Structure formats: C-alpha cells, structure tokens
mmCIF file with all atom_site columns, all heavy atoms in Angstrom:
data_model
loop_
_atom_site.group_PDB
_atom_site.id
_atom_site.type_symbol
_atom_site.label_atom_id
_atom_site.label_alt_id
_atom_site.label_comp_id
_atom_site.label_asym_id
_atom_site.label_entity_id
_atom_site.label_seq_id
_atom_site.pdbx_PDB_ins_code
_atom_site.Cartn_x
_atom_site.Cartn_y
_atom_site.Cartn_z
_atom_site.occupancy
_atom_site.B_iso_or_equiv
_atom_site.pdbx_formal_charge
_atom_site.auth_seq_id
_atom_site.auth_comp_id
_atom_site.auth_asym_id
_atom_site.auth_atom_id
_atom_site.pdbx_PDB_model_num
ATOM 1   N N   . PHE A 1 1  ? 76.080  55.471 9.901  1.00 98.00 ? 1436 PHE A N   1
ATOM 2   C CA  . PHE A 1 1  ? 76.864  55.964 10.985 1.00 98.00 ? 1436 PHE A CA  1
ATOM 3   C C   . PHE A 1 1  ? 76.330  55.539 12.402 1.00 98.00 ? 1436 PHE A C   1
ATOM 4   O O   . PHE A 1 1  ? 75.181  55.118 12.616 1.00 98.00 ? 1436 PHE A O   1
ATOM 5   C CB  . PHE A 1 1  ? 76.616  57.614 11.034 1.00 98.00 ? 1436 PHE A CB  1
ATOM 6   C CG  . PHE A 1 1  ? 77.180  58.356 9.874  1.00 98.00 ? 1436 PHE A CG  1
ATOM 7   C CD1 . PHE A 1 1  ? 76.838  58.234 8.591  1.00 98.00 ? 1436 PHE A CD1 1
ATOM 8   C CD2 . PHE A 1 1  ? 78.350  59.069 10.174 1.00 98.00 ? 1436 PHE A CD2 1
ATOM 9   C CE1 . PHE A 1 1  ? 77.419  59.027 7.500  1.00 98.00 ? 1436 PHE A CE1 1
ATOM 10  C CE2 . PHE A 1 1  ? 79.010  59.780 9.158  1.00 98.00 ? 1436 PHE A CE2 1
ATOM 11  C CZ  . PHE A 1 1  ? 78.573  59.650 7.815  1.00 98.00 ? 1436 PHE A CZ  1
ATOM 12  N N   . VAL A 1 2  ? 77.401  55.382 13.281 1.00 98.00 ? 1437 VAL A N   1
ATOM 13  C CA  . VAL A 1 2  ? 76.996  54.963 14.680 1.00 98.00 ? 1437 VAL A CA  1
ATOM 14  C C   . VAL A 1 2  ? 77.224  56.174 15.570 1.00 98.00 ? 1437 VAL A C   1
ATOM 15  O O   . VAL A 1 2  ? 78.213  56.863 15.499 1.00 98.00 ? 1437 VAL A O   1
ATOM 16  C CB  . VAL A 1 2  ? 77.961  53.796 15.181 1.00 98.00 ? 1437 VAL A CB  1
ATOM 17  C CG1 . VAL A 1 2  ? 77.863  53.520 16.545 1.00 98.00 ? 1437 VAL A CG1 1
ATOM 18  C CG2 . VAL A 1 2  ? 77.812  52.652 14.292 1.00 98.00 ? 1437 VAL A CG2 1
ATOM 19  N N   . GLY A 1 3  ? 76.201  56.408 16.405 1.00 97.00 ? 1438 GLY A N   1
ATOM 20  C CA  . GLY A 1 3  ? 76.165  57.605 17.244 1.00 97.00 ? 1438 GLY A CA  1
ATOM 21  C C   . GLY A 1 3  ? 76.174  57.386 18.768 1.00 97.00 ? 1438 GLY A C   1
ATOM 22  O O   . GLY A 1 3  ? 75.864  56.282 19.155 1.00 97.00 ? 1438 GLY A O   1
ATOM 23  N N   . TRP A 1 4  ? 76.472  58.413 19.471 1.00 98.00 ? 1439 TRP A N   1
ATOM 24  C CA  . TRP A 1 4  ? 76.462  58.396 20.924 1.00 98.00 ? 1439 TRP A CA  1
ATOM 25  C C   . TRP A 1 4  ? 76.035  59.712 21.465 1.00 98.00 ? 1439 TRP A C   1
ATOM 26  O O   . TRP A 1 4  ? 76.368  60.663 20.851 1.00 98.00 ? 1439 TRP A O   1
ATOM 27  C CB  . TRP A 1 4  ? 77.828  57.889 21.625 1.00 98.00 ? 1439 TRP A CB  1
ATOM 28  C CG  . TRP A 1 4  ? 78.963  58.792 21.270 1.00 98.00 ? 1439 TRP A CG  1
ATOM 29  C CD1 . TRP A 1 4  ? 79.395  59.886 21.895 1.00 98.00 ? 1439 TRP A CD1 1
ATOM 30  C CD2 . TRP A 1 4  ? 79.750  58.588 20.087 1.00 98.00 ? 1439 TRP A CD2 1
ATOM 31  N NE1 . TRP A 1 4  ? 80.447  60.372 21.379 1.00 98.00 ? 1439 TRP A NE1 1
ATOM 32  C CE2 . TRP A 1 4  ? 80.816  59.700 20.147 1.00 98.00 ? 1439 TRP A CE2 1
ATOM 33  C CE3 . TRP A 1 4  ? 79.848  57.779 19.050 1.00 98.00 ? 1439 TRP A CE3 1
ATOM 34  C CZ2 . TRP A 1 4  ? 81.831  59.768 19.294 1.00 98.00 ? 1439 TRP A CZ2 1
ATOM 35  C CZ3 . TRP A 1 4  ? 80.886  57.905 18.195 1.00 98.00 ? 1439 TRP A CZ3 1
ATOM 36  C CH2 . TRP A 1 4  ? 81.809  58.922 18.296 1.00 98.00 ? 1439 TRP A CH2 1
ATOM 37  N N   . PRO A 1 5  ? 75.245  59.678 22.474 1.00 98.00 ? 1440 PRO A N   1
ATOM 38  C CA  . PRO A 1 5  ? 74.742  60.997 23.000 1.00 98.00 ? 1440 PRO A CA  1
ATOM 39  C C   . PRO A 1 5  ? 75.807  61.767 23.774 1.00 98.00 ? 1440 PRO A C   1
ATOM 40  O O   . PRO A 1 5  ? 76.624  61.253 24.450 1.00 98.00 ? 1440 PRO A O   1
ATOM 41  C CB  . PRO A 1 5  ? 73.557  60.635 24.071 1.00 98.00 ? 1440 PRO A CB  1
ATOM 42  C CG  . PRO A 1 5  ? 73.960  59.280 24.489 1.00 98.00 ? 1440 PRO A CG  1
ATOM 43  C CD  . PRO A 1 5  ? 74.632  58.537 23.287 1.00 98.00 ? 1440 PRO A CD  1
ATOM 44  N N   . THR A 1 6  ? 75.728  63.211 23.585 1.00 98.00 ? 1441 THR A N   1
ATOM 45  C CA  . THR A 1 6  ? 76.700  64.046 24.179 1.00 98.00 ? 1441 THR A CA  1
ATOM 46  C C   . THR A 1 6  ? 75.901  65.207 24.775 1.00 98.00 ? 1441 THR A C   1
ATOM 47  O O   . THR A 1 6  ? 74.671  65.314 24.570 1.00 98.00 ? 1441 THR A O   1
ATOM 48  C CB  . THR A 1 6  ? 77.765  64.587 23.297 1.00 98.00 ? 1441 THR A CB  1
ATOM 49  O OG1 . THR A 1 6  ? 77.124  65.282 22.111 1.00 98.00 ? 1441 THR A OG1 1
ATOM 50  C CG2 . THR A 1 6  ? 78.571  63.522 22.612 1.00 98.00 ? 1441 THR A CG2 1
ATOM 51  N N   . ARG A 1 7  ? 76.579  66.063 25.516 1.00 98.00 ? 1442 ARG A N   1
ATOM 52  C CA  . ARG A 1 7  ? 75.917  67.194 26.237 1.00 98.00 ? 1442 ARG A CA  1
ATOM 53  C C   . ARG A 1 7  ? 76.776  68.381 26.289 1.00 98.00 ? 1442 ARG A C   1
ATOM 54  O O   . ARG A 1 7  ? 77.931  68.281 26.577 1.00 98.00 ? 1442 ARG A O   1
ATOM 55  C CB  . ARG A 1 7  ? 75.598  66.836 27.623 1.00 98.00 ? 1442 ARG A CB  1
ATOM 56  C CG  . ARG A 1 7  ? 74.381  67.645 28.152 1.00 98.00 ? 1442 ARG A CG  1
ATOM 57  C CD  . ARG A 1 7  ? 74.088  67.343 29.635 1.00 98.00 ? 1442 ARG A CD  1
ATOM 58  N NE  . ARG A 1 7  ? 74.028  65.939 30.176 1.00 98.00 ? 1442 ARG A NE  1
ATOM 59  C CZ  . ARG A 1 7  ? 73.746  65.551 31.352 1.00 98.00 ? 1442 ARG A CZ  1
ATOM 60  N NH1 . ARG A 1 7  ? 73.652  66.532 32.323 1.00 98.00 ? 1442 ARG A NH1 1
ATOM 61  N NH2 . ARG A 1 7  ? 73.803  64.368 31.692 1.00 98.00 ? 1442 ARG A NH2 1
ATOM 62  N N   . GLY A 1 8  ? 76.347  69.491 25.657 1.00 98.00 ? 1443 GLY A N   1
ATOM 63  C CA  . GLY A 1 8  ? 77.114  70.732 25.863 1.00 98.00 ? 1443 GLY A CA  1
ATOM 64  C C   . GLY A 1 8  ? 76.853  71.383 27.302 1.00 98.00 ? 1443 GLY A C   1
ATOM 65  O O   . GLY A 1 8  ? 75.681  71.553 27.653 1.00 98.00 ? 1443 GLY A O   1
ATOM 66  N N   . MET A 1 9  ? 77.935  71.718 27.891 1.00 98.00 ? 1444 MET A N   1
ATOM 67  C CA  . MET A 1 9  ? 77.883  71.979 29.306 1.00 98.00 ? 1444 MET A CA  1
ATOM 68  C C   . MET A 1 9  ? 78.684  73.273 29.638 1.00 98.00 ? 1444 MET A C   1
ATOM 69  O O   . MET A 1 9  ? 79.726  73.561 28.821 1.00 98.00 ? 1444 MET A O   1
ATOM 70  C CB  . MET A 1 9  ? 78.339  70.891 30.226 1.00 98.00 ? 1444 MET A CB  1
ATOM 71  C CG  . MET A 1 9  ? 77.567  69.570 29.941 1.00 98.00 ? 1444 MET A CG  1
ATOM 72  S SD  . MET A 1 9  ? 77.959  68.287 31.057 1.00 98.00 ? 1444 MET A SD  1
ATOM 73  C CE  . MET A 1 9  ? 76.881  68.632 32.469 1.00 98.00 ? 1444 MET A CE  1
ATOM 74  N N   . ALA A 1 10 ? 78.538  73.896 30.667 1.00 98.00 ? 1445 ALA A N   1
ATOM 75  C CA  . ALA A 1 10 ? 79.174  75.316 30.972 1.00 98.00 ? 1445 ALA A CA  1
ATOM 76  C C   . ALA A 1 10 ? 79.275  75.433 32.498 1.00 98.00 ? 1445 ALA A C   1
ATOM 77  O O   . ALA A 1 10 ? 78.459  74.988 33.213 1.00 98.00 ? 1445 ALA A O   1
ATOM 78  C CB  . ALA A 1 10 ? 78.517  76.386 30.250 1.00 98.00 ? 1445 ALA A CB  1
ATOM 79  N N   . ILE A 1 11 ? 80.272  76.339 32.899 1.00 98.00 ? 1446 ILE A N   1
ATOM 80  C CA  . ILE A 1 11 ? 80.284  76.737 34.218 1.00 98.00 ? 1446 ILE A CA  1
ATOM 81  C C   . ILE A 1 11 ? 81.071  78.079 34.391 1.00 98.00 ? 1446 ILE A C   1
ATOM 82  O O   . ILE A 1 11 ? 81.981  78.225 33.443 1.00 98.00 ? 1446 ILE A O   1
ATOM 83  C CB  . ILE A 1 11 ? 81.008  75.682 35.098 1.00 98.00 ? 1446 ILE A CB  1
ATOM 84  C CG1 . ILE A 1 11 ? 80.795  75.952 36.650 1.00 98.00 ? 1446 ILE A CG1 1
ATOM 85  C CG2 . ILE A 1 11 ? 82.509  75.632 34.878 1.00 98.00 ? 1446 ILE A CG2 1
ATOM 86  C CD1 . ILE A 1 11 ? 81.155  74.718 37.591 1.00 98.00 ? 1446 ILE A CD1 1
ATOM 87  N N   . ASP A 1 12 ? 80.810  78.848 35.220 1.00 97.00 ? 1447 ASP A N   1
ATOM 88  C CA  . ASP A 1 12 ? 81.594  80.013 35.520 1.00 97.00 ? 1447 ASP A CA  1
ATOM 89  C C   . ASP A 1 12 ? 82.792  79.620 36.324 1.00 97.00 ? 1447 ASP A C   1
ATOM 90  O O   . ASP A 1 12 ? 82.490  79.136 37.510 1.00 97.00 ? 1447 ASP A O   1
ATOM 91  C CB  . ASP A 1 12 ? 80.731  81.058 36.253 1.00 97.00 ? 1447 ASP A CB  1
ATOM 92  C CG  . ASP A 1 12 ? 81.500  82.466 36.478 1.00 97.00 ? 1447 ASP A CG  1
ATOM 93  O OD1 . ASP A 1 12 ? 82.797  82.465 36.426 1.00 97.00 ? 1447 ASP A OD1 1
ATOM 94  O OD2 . ASP A 1 12 ? 80.776  83.378 36.945 1.00 97.00 ? 1447 ASP A OD2 1
ATOM 95  N N   . PRO A 1 13 ? 83.900  79.791 36.016 1.00 96.00 ? 1448 PRO A N   1
ATOM 96  C CA  . PRO A 1 13 ? 85.135  79.365 36.815 1.00 96.00 ? 1448 PRO A CA  1
ATOM 97  C C   . PRO A 1 13 ? 85.166  79.945 38.172 1.00 96.00 ? 1448 PRO A C   1
ATOM 98  O O   . PRO A 1 13 ? 85.606  79.418 39.098 1.00 96.00 ? 1448 PRO A O   1
ATOM 99  C CB  . PRO A 1 13 ? 86.375  79.706 35.941 1.00 96.00 ? 1448 PRO A CB  1
ATOM 100 C CG  . PRO A 1 13 ? 85.827  79.875 34.629 1.00 96.00 ? 1448 PRO A CG  1
ATOM 101 C CD  . PRO A 1 13 ? 84.405  80.307 34.621 1.00 96.00 ? 1448 PRO A CD  1
ATOM 102 N N   . ALA A 1 14 ? 84.538  81.247 38.251 1.00 94.00 ? 1449 ALA A N   1
ATOM 103 C CA  . ALA A 1 14 ? 84.604  81.867 39.722 1.00 94.00 ? 1449 ALA A CA  1
ATOM 104 C C   . ALA A 1 14 ? 83.732  81.190 40.644 1.00 94.00 ? 1449 ALA A C   1
ATOM 105 O O   . ALA A 1 14 ? 83.969  81.317 41.883 1.00 94.00 ? 1449 ALA A O   1
ATOM 106 C CB  . ALA A 1 14 ? 84.174  83.398 39.440 1.00 94.00 ? 1449 ALA A CB  1
ATOM 107 N N   . SER A 1 15 ? 82.813  80.325 40.189 1.00 92.00 ? 1450 SER A N   1
ATOM 108 C CA  . SER A 1 15 ? 81.856  79.659 41.074 1.00 92.00 ? 1450 SER A CA  1
ATOM 109 C C   . SER A 1 15 ? 82.359  78.303 41.509 1.00 92.00 ? 1450 SER A C   1
ATOM 110 O O   . SER A 1 15 ? 81.733  77.624 42.370 1.00 92.00 ? 1450 SER A O   1
ATOM 111 C CB  . SER A 1 15 ? 80.522  79.459 40.426 1.00 92.00 ? 1450 SER A CB  1
ATOM 112 O OG  . SER A 1 15 ? 80.643  78.482 39.391 1.00 92.00 ? 1450 SER A OG  1
ATOM 113 N N   . TRP A 1 16 ? 83.600  77.956 40.920 1.00 91.00 ? 1451 TRP A N   1
ATOM 114 C CA  . TRP A 1 16 ? 84.001  76.644 41.207 1.00 91.00 ? 1451 TRP A CA  1
ATOM 115 C C   . TRP A 1 16 ? 84.663  76.550 42.682 1.00 91.00 ? 1451 TRP A C   1
ATOM 116 O O   . TRP A 1 16 ? 85.459  77.466 42.942 1.00 91.00 ? 1451 TRP A O   1
ATOM 117 C CB  . TRP A 1 16 ? 85.158  76.299 40.205 1.00 91.00 ? 1451 TRP A CB  1
ATOM 118 C CG  . TRP A 1 16 ? 85.783  74.819 40.280 1.00 91.00 ? 1451 TRP A CG  1
ATOM 119 C CD1 . TRP A 1 16 ? 86.961  74.489 40.677 1.00 91.00 ? 1451 TRP A CD1 1
ATOM 120 C CD2 . TRP A 1 16 ? 85.092  73.636 39.912 1.00 91.00 ? 1451 TRP A CD2 1
ATOM 121 N NE1 . TRP A 1 16 ? 87.208  73.300 40.799 1.00 91.00 ? 1451 TRP A NE1 1
ATOM 122 C CE2 . TRP A 1 16 ? 86.023  72.632 40.225 1.00 91.00 ? 1451 TRP A CE2 1
ATOM 123 C CE3 . TRP A 1 16 ? 83.912  73.397 39.415 1.00 91.00 ? 1451 TRP A CE3 1
ATOM 124 C CZ2 . TRP A 1 16 ? 85.808  71.313 40.062 1.00 91.00 ? 1451 TRP A CZ2 1
ATOM 125 C CZ3 . TRP A 1 16 ? 83.611  71.994 39.095 1.00 91.00 ? 1451 TRP A CZ3 1
ATOM 126 C CH2 . TRP A 1 16 ? 84.496  70.966 39.460 1.00 91.00 ? 1451 TRP A CH2 1
ATOM 127 N N   . LYS A 1 17 ? 84.499  75.518 43.381 1.00 86.00 ? 1452 LYS A N   1
ATOM 128 C CA  . LYS A 1 17 ? 85.099  75.347 44.744 1.00 86.00 ? 1452 LYS A CA  1
ATOM 129 C C   . LYS A 1 17 ? 86.331  74.404 44.558 1.00 86.00 ? 1452 LYS A C   1
ATOM 130 O O   . LYS A 1 17 ? 86.165  73.250 44.249 1.00 86.00 ? 1452 LYS A O   1
ATOM 131 C CB  . LYS A 1 17 ? 83.958  74.764 45.580 1.00 86.00 ? 1452 LYS A CB  1
ATOM 132 C CG  . LYS A 1 17 ? 82.805  75.599 45.752 1.00 86.00 ? 1452 LYS A CG  1
ATOM 133 C CD  . LYS A 1 17 ? 83.117  76.950 46.447 1.00 86.00 ? 1452 LYS A CD  1
ATOM 134 C CE  . LYS A 1 17 ? 81.863  77.739 46.788 1.00 86.00 ? 1452 LYS A CE  1
ATOM 135 N NZ  . LYS A 1 17 ? 81.115  78.232 45.517 1.00 86.00 ? 1452 LYS A NZ  1
ATOM 136 N N   . HIS A 1 18 ? 87.407  74.976 44.831 1.00 83.00 ? 1453 HIS A N   1
ATOM 137 C CA  . HIS A 1 18 ? 88.771  74.231 44.792 1.00 83.00 ? 1453 HIS A CA  1
ATOM 138 C C   . HIS A 1 18 ? 88.803  73.305 45.866 1.00 83.00 ? 1453 HIS A C   1
ATOM 139 O O   . HIS A 1 18 ? 88.513  73.463 47.011 1.00 83.00 ? 1453 HIS A O   1
ATOM 140 C CB  . HIS A 1 18 ? 89.905  75.198 44.827 1.00 83.00 ? 1453 HIS A CB  1
ATOM 141 C CG  . HIS A 1 18 ? 91.241  74.441 44.693 1.00 83.00 ? 1453 HIS A CG  1
ATOM 142 N ND1 . HIS A 1 18 ? 91.798  73.987 43.548 1.00 83.00 ? 1453 HIS A ND1 1
ATOM 143 C CD2 . HIS A 1 18 ? 92.101  73.996 45.665 1.00 83.00 ? 1453 HIS A CD2 1
ATOM 144 C CE1 . HIS A 1 18 ? 92.889  73.504 43.781 1.00 83.00 ? 1453 HIS A CE1 1
ATOM 145 N NE2 . HIS A 1 18 ? 93.137  73.415 44.966 1.00 83.00 ? 1453 HIS A NE2 1
ATOM 146 N N   . VAL A 1 19 ? 89.305  72.075 45.632 1.00 84.00 ? 1454 VAL A N   1
ATOM 147 C CA  . VAL A 1 19 ? 89.518  70.964 46.621 1.00 84.00 ? 1454 VAL A CA  1
ATOM 148 C C   . VAL A 1 19 ? 91.008  70.613 46.627 1.00 84.00 ? 1454 VAL A C   1
ATOM 149 O O   . VAL A 1 19 ? 91.509  70.389 45.485 1.00 84.00 ? 1454 VAL A O   1
ATOM 150 C CB  . VAL A 1 19 ? 88.530  69.792 46.398 1.00 84.00 ? 1454 VAL A CB  1
ATOM 151 C CG1 . VAL A 1 19 ? 88.874  68.730 47.368 1.00 84.00 ? 1454 VAL A CG1 1
ATOM 152 C CG2 . VAL A 1 19 ? 87.125  70.206 46.431 1.00 84.00 ? 1454 VAL A CG2 1
ATOM 153 N N   . GLU A 1 20 ? 91.696  70.380 47.731 1.00 83.00 ? 1455 GLU A N   1
ATOM 154 C CA  . GLU A 1 20 ? 93.072  69.870 47.827 1.00 83.00 ? 1455 GLU A CA  1
ATOM 155 C C   . GLU A 1 20 ? 93.020  68.318 47.574 1.00 83.00 ? 1455 GLU A C   1
ATOM 156 O O   . GLU A 1 20 ? 92.111  67.587 47.979 1.00 83.00 ? 1455 GLU A O   1
ATOM 157 C CB  . GLU A 1 20 ? 93.533  70.234 49.131 1.00 83.00 ? 1455 GLU A CB  1
ATOM 158 C CG  . GLU A 1 20 ? 93.826  71.721 49.357 1.00 83.00 ? 1455 GLU A CG  1
ATOM 159 C CD  . GLU A 1 20 ? 94.827  72.220 48.451 1.00 83.00 ? 1455 GLU A CD  1
ATOM 160 O OE1 . GLU A 1 20 ? 95.661  71.506 47.888 1.00 83.00 ? 1455 GLU A OE1 1
ATOM 161 O OE2 . GLU A 1 20 ? 94.685  73.410 48.011 1.00 83.00 ? 1455 GLU A OE2 1
ATOM 162 N N   . HIS A 1 21 ? 93.991  67.824 46.812 1.00 85.00 ? 1456 HIS A N   1
ATOM 163 C CA  . HIS A 1 21 ? 94.077  66.357 46.513 1.00 85.00 ? 1456 HIS A CA  1
ATOM 164 C C   . HIS A 1 21 ? 95.494  65.969 46.917 1.00 85.00 ? 1456 HIS A C   1
ATOM 165 O O   . HIS A 1 21 ? 96.520  66.113 46.245 1.00 85.00 ? 1456 HIS A O   1
ATOM 166 C CB  . HIS A 1 21 ? 93.876  66.254 45.019 1.00 85.00 ? 1456 HIS A CB  1
ATOM 167 C CG  . HIS A 1 21 ? 92.634  66.769 44.578 1.00 85.00 ? 1456 HIS A CG  1
ATOM 168 N ND1 . HIS A 1 21 ? 91.411  66.068 44.519 1.00 85.00 ? 1456 HIS A ND1 1
ATOM 169 C CD2 . HIS A 1 21 ? 92.312  68.036 43.933 1.00 85.00 ? 1456 HIS A CD2 1
ATOM 170 C CE1 . HIS A 1 21 ? 90.484  66.850 44.053 1.00 85.00 ? 1456 HIS A CE1 1
ATOM 171 N NE2 . HIS A 1 21 ? 90.955  68.012 43.630 1.00 85.00 ? 1456 HIS A NE2 1
ATOM 172 N N   . ALA A 1 22 ? 95.448  65.159 48.021 1.00 88.00 ? 1457 ALA A N   1
ATOM 173 C CA  . ALA A 1 22 ? 96.684  64.635 48.654 1.00 88.00 ? 1457 ALA A CA  1
ATOM 174 C C   . ALA A 1 22 ? 97.353  63.690 47.664 1.00 88.00 ? 1457 ALA A C   1
ATOM 175 O O   . ALA A 1 22 ? 96.679  62.795 47.105 1.00 88.00 ? 1457 ALA A O   1
ATOM 176 C CB  . ALA A 1 22 ? 96.515  63.909 49.907 1.00 88.00 ? 1457 ALA A CB  1
ATOM 177 N N   . GLY A 1 23 ? 98.681  63.875 47.343 1.00 93.00 ? 1458 GLY A N   1
ATOM 178 C CA  . GLY A 1 23 ? 99.428  62.981 46.568 1.00 93.00 ? 1458 GLY A CA  1
ATOM 179 C C   . GLY A 1 23 ? 99.131  63.216 45.087 1.00 93.00 ? 1458 GLY A C   1
ATOM 180 O O   . GLY A 1 23 ? 99.969  62.507 44.216 1.00 93.00 ? 1458 GLY A O   1
ATOM 181 N N   . ILE A 1 24 ? 98.299  64.173 44.586 1.00 97.00 ? 1459 ILE A N   1
ATOM 182 C CA  . ILE A 1 24 ? 98.156  64.383 43.267 1.00 97.00 ? 1459 ILE A CA  1
ATOM 183 C C   . ILE A 1 24 ? 98.771  65.776 43.015 1.00 97.00 ? 1459 ILE A C   1
ATOM 184 O O   . ILE A 1 24 ? 98.531  66.774 43.549 1.00 97.00 ? 1459 ILE A O   1
ATOM 185 C CB  . ILE A 1 24 ? 96.721  64.465 42.892 1.00 97.00 ? 1459 ILE A CB  1
ATOM 186 C CG1 . ILE A 1 24 ? 96.034  63.150 43.297 1.00 97.00 ? 1459 ILE A CG1 1
ATOM 187 C CG2 . ILE A 1 24 ? 96.522  64.910 41.365 1.00 97.00 ? 1459 ILE A CG2 1
ATOM 188 C CD1 . ILE A 1 24 ? 94.592  63.115 43.082 1.00 97.00 ? 1459 ILE A CD1 1
ATOM 189 N N   . THR A 1 25 ? 99.554  65.895 41.951 1.00 96.00 ? 1460 THR A N   1
ATOM 190 C CA  . THR A 1 25 ? 100.067 67.149 41.421 1.00 96.00 ? 1460 THR A CA  1
ATOM 191 C C   . THR A 1 25 ? 99.727  67.320 39.938 1.00 96.00 ? 1460 THR A C   1
ATOM 192 O O   . THR A 1 25 ? 99.649  66.370 39.184 1.00 96.00 ? 1460 THR A O   1
ATOM 193 C CB  . THR A 1 25 ? 101.630 67.187 41.537 1.00 96.00 ? 1460 THR A CB  1
ATOM 194 O OG1 . THR A 1 25 ? 102.253 65.985 40.845 1.00 96.00 ? 1460 THR A OG1 1
ATOM 195 C CG2 . THR A 1 25 ? 102.133 67.038 42.977 1.00 96.00 ? 1460 THR A CG2 1
ATOM 196 N N   . ILE A 1 26 ? 99.513  68.492 39.614 1.00 97.00 ? 1461 ILE A N   1
ATOM 197 C CA  . ILE A 1 26 ? 99.261  68.935 38.263 1.00 97.00 ? 1461 ILE A CA  1
ATOM 198 C C   . ILE A 1 26 ? 100.201 69.871 37.651 1.00 97.00 ? 1461 ILE A C   1
ATOM 199 O O   . ILE A 1 26 ? 100.419 70.974 38.265 1.00 97.00 ? 1461 ILE A O   1
ATOM 200 C CB  . ILE A 1 26 ? 97.722  69.589 38.150 1.00 97.00 ? 1461 ILE A CB  1
ATOM 201 C CG1 . ILE A 1 26 ? 96.635  68.657 38.972 1.00 97.00 ? 1461 ILE A CG1 1
ATOM 202 C CG2 . ILE A 1 26 ? 97.258  69.861 36.664 1.00 97.00 ? 1461 ILE A CG2 1
ATOM 203 C CD1 . ILE A 1 26 ? 96.442  67.362 38.306 1.00 97.00 ? 1461 ILE A CD1 1
ATOM 204 N N   . GLU A 1 27 ? 100.698 69.477 36.509 1.00 97.00 ? 1462 GLU A N   1
ATOM 205 C CA  . GLU A 1 27 ? 101.816 70.458 35.928 1.00 97.00 ? 1462 GLU A CA  1
ATOM 206 C C   . GLU A 1 27 ? 101.306 70.799 34.523 1.00 97.00 ? 1462 GLU A C   1
ATOM 207 O O   . GLU A 1 27 ? 100.899 69.988 33.747 1.00 97.00 ? 1462 GLU A O   1
ATOM 208 C CB  . GLU A 1 27 ? 103.079 69.648 35.938 1.00 97.00 ? 1462 GLU A CB  1
ATOM 209 C CG  . GLU A 1 27 ? 103.126 68.422 35.161 1.00 97.00 ? 1462 GLU A CG  1
ATOM 210 C CD  . GLU A 1 27 ? 104.461 67.546 35.500 1.00 97.00 ? 1462 GLU A CD  1
ATOM 211 O OE1 . GLU A 1 27 ? 104.601 67.293 36.627 1.00 97.00 ? 1462 GLU A OE1 1
ATOM 212 O OE2 . GLU A 1 27 ? 105.026 67.306 34.484 1.00 97.00 ? 1462 GLU A OE2 1
ATOM 213 N N   . PRO A 1 28 ? 101.511 72.091 34.162 1.00 98.00 ? 1463 PRO A N   1
ATOM 214 C CA  . PRO A 1 28 ? 101.288 72.422 32.690 1.00 98.00 ? 1463 PRO A CA  1
ATOM 215 C C   . PRO A 1 28 ? 102.253 71.809 31.864 1.00 98.00 ? 1463 PRO A C   1
ATOM 216 O O   . PRO A 1 28 ? 103.549 71.466 32.253 1.00 98.00 ? 1463 PRO A O   1
ATOM 217 C CB  . PRO A 1 28 ? 101.530 73.962 32.872 1.00 98.00 ? 1463 PRO A CB  1
ATOM 218 C CG  . PRO A 1 28 ? 102.354 74.152 34.002 1.00 98.00 ? 1463 PRO A CG  1
ATOM 219 C CD  . PRO A 1 28 ? 102.036 73.210 35.035 1.00 98.00 ? 1463 PRO A CD  1
ATOM 220 N N   . VAL A 1 29 ? 101.868 71.538 30.680 1.00 98.00 ? 1464 VAL A N   1
ATOM 221 C CA  . VAL A 1 29 ? 102.717 70.862 29.704 1.00 98.00 ? 1464 VAL A CA  1
ATOM 222 C C   . VAL A 1 29 ? 103.529 71.858 28.977 1.00 98.00 ? 1464 VAL A C   1
ATOM 223 O O   . VAL A 1 29 ? 102.995 72.828 28.401 1.00 98.00 ? 1464 VAL A O   1
ATOM 224 C CB  . VAL A 1 29 ? 101.739 69.891 28.755 1.00 98.00 ? 1464 VAL A CB  1
ATOM 225 C CG1 . VAL A 1 29 ? 102.692 69.306 27.633 1.00 98.00 ? 1464 VAL A CG1 1
ATOM 226 C CG2 . VAL A 1 29 ? 101.110 68.950 29.494 1.00 98.00 ? 1464 VAL A CG2 1
ATOM 227 N N   . THR A 1 30 ? 104.704 71.630 28.911 1.00 97.00 ? 1465 THR A N   1
ATOM 228 C CA  . THR A 1 30 ? 105.773 72.347 28.173 1.00 97.00 ? 1465 THR A CA  1
ATOM 229 C C   . THR A 1 30 ? 106.470 71.442 27.192 1.00 97.00 ? 1465 THR A C   1
ATOM 230 O O   . THR A 1 30 ? 106.356 70.281 27.196 1.00 97.00 ? 1465 THR A O   1
ATOM 231 C CB  . THR A 1 30 ? 106.686 73.127 29.132 1.00 97.00 ? 1465 THR A CB  1
ATOM 232 O OG1 . THR A 1 30 ? 107.633 72.278 29.779 1.00 97.00 ? 1465 THR A OG1 1
ATOM 233 C CG2 . THR A 1 30 ? 105.852 73.974 30.077 1.00 97.00 ? 1465 THR A CG2 1
#
C-alpha cells in the first residue's frame, strides 16, 4: 500500500470570521 499523511481537524462555526470576496459567488447545488 502507498500512504500519505492526513490530519483530523475541527472548528466551531460560530468562531469563524467571514470575509467578503469580490467577484466570487457561491451557490448551493440543486
């Protein structure tokens, strides 16, 4: 087998600082 390192990571969404991104739009997939 060939392996690569990974990391389990976490964050509380309430602590996230939102940033505006000019020219970028994000749309939910339907």
Side-chain angles (χ1 to χ4, degrees):
F1436 287 72
V1437 176
W1439 58 91
T1441 58
R1442 207 188 305 182
M1444 308 184 80
I1446 196 168
D1447 179 351
S1450 70
W1451 184 256
K1452 301 297 187 291
H1453 181 79
V1454 175
E1455 293 296 329
H1456 304 275
I1459 300 173
T1460 57
I1461 309 295
E1462 57 193 58
V1464 177
T1465 65

